Amino acid sequence: MKKTGIWGVVLGAIAVSGCVSTSDIGMKNRQITEEESPLVFSGPGLEDGYRKFTYGKSPDHLVITLLADYGPKSGRYPSANIMLRKLTNSQWHFYKVNLEEELQKYTSFKENLPPLGEKQFHVNKLGRADYVPFQHAGEHCIFFVQTKGRGTGSLDGNTRVQGFYCDTKPISRDAAVAALGSLDIRNNGRPIKIEKKDTAAKPISLS
């Protein structure tokens, strides 16, 4: 499934502090399965659809990044593209965010921020998710940011999830709430180790 519009170059255009690409998210970045992914998301129209997860660590192993790409069973829309960044060693994302500033950290919007709609929020199982609707290149999207963990009583850092959920038609409040309501983080933001099943043939006893 080929991505266009905002995410035509999703892995090369995302910028958080500078420019993040698959070569930047870790020296040994790799694709993982949805079963291994710490990110849970199932926005409306994306059930049983396209999935792609790319995971990596920074060279100093202090930042874990996951890039997740979602699409429908067929066609291009709706689509979602989400980045999860897990900080470690007592590093912390700020809990309060400025959505305009965060959006301008993406290459596509650095010099050309589209008109934004009313800022809103939804409280899901992780806490407060802030979001804002906008239009760009024929797409109707919401941009959202959510941070899990405030930095009290832990030395492990915290986790931020941010990204886009887009469609060809305006995204209703109900659709936005359903999308954000499906967000969850497993295994404290780290990939889940899946034990390989032993498929070796067992010897047949003749006794």
Side-chain angles (χ1 to χ4, degrees):
M1 178 180 174
K2 185 177 180 181
K3 289 289 177 185
T4 56
I6 293 173
W7 293 92
V9 284
V10 58
L11 296 182
I14 296 176
V16 176
S17 296
C19 182
V20 177
S21 69
T22 50
S23 61
D24 296 320
I25 65 173
M27 297 295 288
K28 296 181 179 179
N29 66 78
R30 61 186 177 89
Q31 288 192 31
I32 61 175
T33 65
E34 187 168 19
E35 190 178 13
E36 296 172 295
S37 171
L39 178 67
V40 176
F41 181 76
S42 57
L46 300 176
E47 300 84 357
D48 301 319
Y50 173 86
R51 302 284 190 272
K52 182 178 180 181
F53 302 91
T54 305
Y55 155 80
K57 288 184 178 181
S58 60
D60 58 10
H61 287 224
L62 296 180
V63 181
I64 297 171
T65 303
L66 175 75
L67 303 179
D69 196 6
Y70 299 83
K73 276 187 175 182
S74 61
R76 288 174 47 204
Y77 296 98
S79 64
N81 303 91
I82 303 172
M83 177 167 58
L84 179 154
R85 284 174 67 86
K86 163 72 177 175
L87 301 184
T88 63
N89 197 31
S90 300
Q91 299 186 88
W92 297 93
H93 294 287
F94 288 113
Y95 190 73
K96 292 184 178 180
V97 296
N98 183 305
L99 293 174
E100 290 96 333
E101 290 180 1
E102 290 300 316
L103 196 54
Q104 286 180 306
K105 292 177 182 178
Y106 289 78
T107 303
S108 297
F109 305 119
K110 187 175 183 180
E111 303 294 339
N112 186 28
L113 185 68
L116 303 180
E118 180 184 357
K119 298 173 191 173
Q120 302 176 60
F121 72 91
H122 173 65
V123 178
N124 59 20
K125 64 187 72 176
L126 299 176
R128 173 174 171 143
D130 292 282
Y131 72 97
V132 64
F134 68 96
Q135 284 183 260
H136 179 79
E139 297 179 329
H140 293 265
C141 303
I142 59 168
F143 171 63
F144 57 89
V145 180
Q146 180 159 24
T147 303
K148 179 184 179 183
R150 289 176 176 264
T152 57
S154 173
L155 298 178
D156 193 38
N158 64 357
T159 303
R160 173 167 290 175
V161 176
Q162 63 185 68
F164 302 86
Y165 174 72
C166 299
D167 206 338
T168 54
K169 58 186 178 182
I171 296 172
S172 67
R173 165 74 178 172
D174 287 346
V177 166
L180 296 173
S182 73
L183 273 174
D184 200 4
I185 299 173
R186 305 185 295 173
N187 200 38
N188 199 24
R190 292 178 169 84
I192 298 166
K193 292 183 179 180
I194 305 299
E195 293 185 7
K196 294 183 178 180
K197 295 181 180 180
D198 185 6
T199 57
K202 295 182 180 180
I204 300 174
S205 175
L206 299 178
S207 57

